[in-house]
Amino acid sequence: MPKGEIVLGALAPHPPHVVYAENPPQNEPISEGGWETLRWGYNRLARKLETLDYDAIVVFTPHWQTYVGTHFLGLPRFSSKSVDPIFPNIFRYNYDLQVDVELSEAMCEKAAEAGLITRMMRNPDFRVDYGTITSCHMLNPKWDKPVITISSNRNTHYYSPEVMIEQALALGKACREAIEESGKRVVLVSSHSLSHRHFVTESPLPEDMSREHIYNHSQYVWDMALIKLFREGKMKEAIDIMPEYTEQTIAETEGGGIIWMMGAMDMPDYPAEIYGYQSVIGTGNCIAAWVPEPDAREIVL
Amino acid sequence: MDEDIIEFGLYVPPHPHPLLSPEANNGYGRLRAAYDECRKRIEESDADLIIVYSTTWPSIIGHQFQANPNSEWVHVDDDFHYLGSMPYSFTMDAEFAESCVQKAESRGLQARTVNYDAFPIDTGSITALSLLNPDNRLPATIVSSNMYANRSETIVLGKAIRDALTEGGRKAVVVVVSSLSNRMFTEPIDPSEDRIHSQKDDDWNKKILEFFNDGRLEDLSQLSREIHGQIRVQKVVAYKPAWWMAATMGQHNNYTGEVLAYEALHGSGGAVIQLTPATGSVGDKEFDEDDVEYYKGDREVLNKGMLE
Ligand SMILES: [Fe+2]
């Protein structure tokens, strides 16, 4: 069996607004569009993924929040309706997804061997979080690949950003080892925004783009500083400034997604592909991809 | 006047163990028995409505009020999914929820009702309503906890709910769903060995329970920031439950307090407490924190008042 590998790692923000704006048949509310910069970027990345040969998508999500260790989806199929508890007016999505339980169990086992607290989630009534659903819908609207969701342990608040980073890196490394041993080709997804201060009001038409802008300039400047490091392939530096970045912008990086992904990808030192940056209800969102195989790497934006 | 609109208040824990595994630990069983006692007391009361404020339902767009007359689904907790599923079917008072929204808006708050099939009601609200009002004898509404709201907004929210109760001539049982100390063990534990995470958490919890026992709700509200710093994991900006409970119940210390149970729930402090409006009081102190009637937003303090 050939060694398994990570074919691409995507930073894939999950404001449900982008799914709402796409008007897929799975989502009940109907929109007039909006957030095109992000959606077109997603569409472009989804087209690239169609050209890649891969077996499964592994998602790390901040919206499955666990305090007692890291949890992994552990049943072959989840089918239900996901209603966003924060934006129920725009996201009520009927999903039906397959899980690669074998790989999920292997990652769970490797993480436990590395000393992390882990648990498989095997309750059939469990609703998969809307972060997973939004990122996966935008990256693979056909839903024709099995998905594994990994919960985010809330280390940042319980201990410190530094503890979270260490654990997320260890989890990433364990996932990489499990993937390599599985012989599978895998896409990793770190599902989150960058800066994460929201407006607490919403325009009557949520997709009214005349109202959309970043919450404040400081958030924007920090987001750009981070994206510059992505572009330059300086991911070690990016992780190094993460505690300060996260504190300054109350960023959704606090869940550890991108850090986990960088740990799994052995801290890339090559440029990321940038697919777009746009604010959603004031938060900063960047779509980016890291592609280990140099021949498959592009300059997108 | 409080007795006219508030039958009594309850403070209950958000974790599902008293509902799903009360037999796993004697403490969980005692919390369950306390819940059962409160259920009886609600049945024997003149209340016609239950209002739940849940710390496990965060919101961003202002304050959300659950208004689906028939809220039904099967919920599974993010952490404790292995304890089992939580099917629920709750009767929400849509009219009262709508009235709360109007009153909140007239006090400067952003608010909206939520009425969607399959809406994910949170673990804390489901545990509380399932145990306190199992047959939907009374209609309810659930209020979200806004992520960014701080004291003034939370106080005004409580006052808006009082406005709605007064106008509707309603009489409510007010339920706050929140831990005391909220630090859980970060590893699995044998339930029979559950205990409060640390001595410090236990000491503070017991001090808070003394205040509750004495009916000193407004004093607790005034101490919220200190409590947040001492025994709350800094997941949100502030410890808001005492602010909301005090504002909704009238902002004073004139209650009869009773702690029905205090136990560990995976390390966190879980208590079932009843506060009933009374005439006697330990007295109202001179309070540090201002009262506030109307929410004026962030007020852009950073770009106002600068010297030219
Ligand atoms: Fe999010």
Side-chain angles (χ1 to χ4, degrees), chain A residues 207-258:
Chain A
E207 62 269 37
D208 179 350
M209 288 296 101
S210 69
R211 305 271 191 100
E212 186 61 78
H213 60 86
I214 193 79
Y215 189 84
N216 66 34
H217 187 60
S218 165
Q219 308 286 82
Y220 168 79
V221 170
W222 269 106
D223 284 349
M224 288 305 126
L226 198 64
I227 292 170
K228 183 163 181 282
L229 295 174
F230 294 176
R231 277 189 194 283
E232 293 170 351
K234 294 181 176 169
M235 289 317 294
K236 174 150 188 342
E237 287 84 340
I239 303 302
D240 284 345
I241 66 162
M242 208 54 88
E244 191 182 357
Y245 166 76
T246 303
E247 187 185 337
Q248 293 292 328
T249 64
I250 50 173
E252 213 174 17
T253 46
E254 53 95 23
I258 195 165

Side-chain angles (χ1 to χ4, degrees), chain A residues 67 71 125 127 158-159 198, chain B residues 79 81 85 118 148 183-184:
Chain A
Y67 296 90
H71 300 214
D125 296 325
R127 270 201 278 193
Y158 256 61
Y159 299 106
H198 302 79
Chain B
D79 253 306
H81 41 79
S85 306
Y148 299 108
R183 183 170 288 272
M184 293 195 288

Side-chain angles (χ1 to χ4, degrees), chain A residues 14-16 61-63 130-131 191-193 196 198 252:
Chain A
H14 58 240
T61 176
H63 291 292
Y130 64 91
S191 173
H192 57 83
S193 301
H196 208 226
H198 302 79
E252 213 174 17

Side-chain angles (χ1 to χ4, degrees), chain A residues 69-82:
Chain A
T70 299
H71 300 214
F72 299 75
L73 284 187
L75 288 173
R77 183 177 173 206
F78 288 91
S79 176
S80 187
K81 182 173 178 178
S82 172

